[in-house]
């Protein structure tokens, strides 16, 4: 089994920054990629960013100039640095992991098998 635990969410004013972290434990070999998704109540889950173990990344166009995904392989941890936050960035942010084979790493939630519980991000305008 694979367990994912997110942290770093919170409340921030528009224009501020947050850094989310996701630690993977358990059978960490059961994944070659990690990703971040977000969901606002009543809307579909949206892919934000993904990263392969070897470092290739994919960031959604809607946040490409503001969000950065990175990782610490040795610590089985993925990070999502979010800058210049906007009210529309508010939502529950989920970390996901899995074995995927697309290039760049996909932002499709169906490609990922393991999910964290989520961390809430609230941006006030």
């Amino acid at each position: 089994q694979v367990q994912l635990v997110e942290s770093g969410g919170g409340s921030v004013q528009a224009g501020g920054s947050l850094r989310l972290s996701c630690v993977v434990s358990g059978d960490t070999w059961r994944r070659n990629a990690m990703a971040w998704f977000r969901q606002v109540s009543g809307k579909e889950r949206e892919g934000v960013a993904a990263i392969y173990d070897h470092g290739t990344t994919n960031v959604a166009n809607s946040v490409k100039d503001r969000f950065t995904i990175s990782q610490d392989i040795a610590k089985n941890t993925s990070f999502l640095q979010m800058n210049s936050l906007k009210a529309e960035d508010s939502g529950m942010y989920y970390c996901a992991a899995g074995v995927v084979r697309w290039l760049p790493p996909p932002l499709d939630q169906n490609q990922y098998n393991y999910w964290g519980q989520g961390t809430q991000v609230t941006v006030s305008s």
Side-chain angles (χ1 to χ4, degrees), residues 48-107:
V48 177
I51 186 168
Y52 271 121
D53 284 355
H54 55 67
T56 300
T57 62
N58 186 14
V59 181
N61 288 333
S62 59
V63 300
K64 185 165 289 187
D65 57 343
R66 300 184 293 119
F67 290 11
T68 303
I69 187 170
S70 61
Q71 63 188 350
D72 184 333
I73 290 291
K75 296 183 179 179
N76 290 307
T77 302
S78 169
F79 304 99
L80 184 67
Q81 178 67 43
M82 305 186 295
N83 298 328
S84 302
L85 282 162
K86 305 175 181 179
E88 52 262 43
D89 294 319
S90 297
M92 187 68 78
Y93 281 70
Y94 297 92
C95 178
V99 177
V100 297
R101 292 177 173 83
W102 298 96
L103 269 177
L107 300 181

Side-chain angles (χ1 to χ4, degrees), residues 3-22:
Q3 295 82 41
L4 290 80
V5 178
E6 304 98 332
S7 62
S11 297
V12 65
Q13 291 206 334
S17 298
L18 284 173
R19 188 192 196 206
L20 306 183
S21 299
C22 174

Side-chain angles (χ1 to χ4, degrees), residues 10 16 30 40 43 58 85 94 97 99 115 119 122 125:
R30 293 182 184 270
V40 177
K43 293 188 177 181
N58 186 14
L85 282 162
Y94 297 92
V99 177
W115 292 83
T119 185
T122 302
S125 57

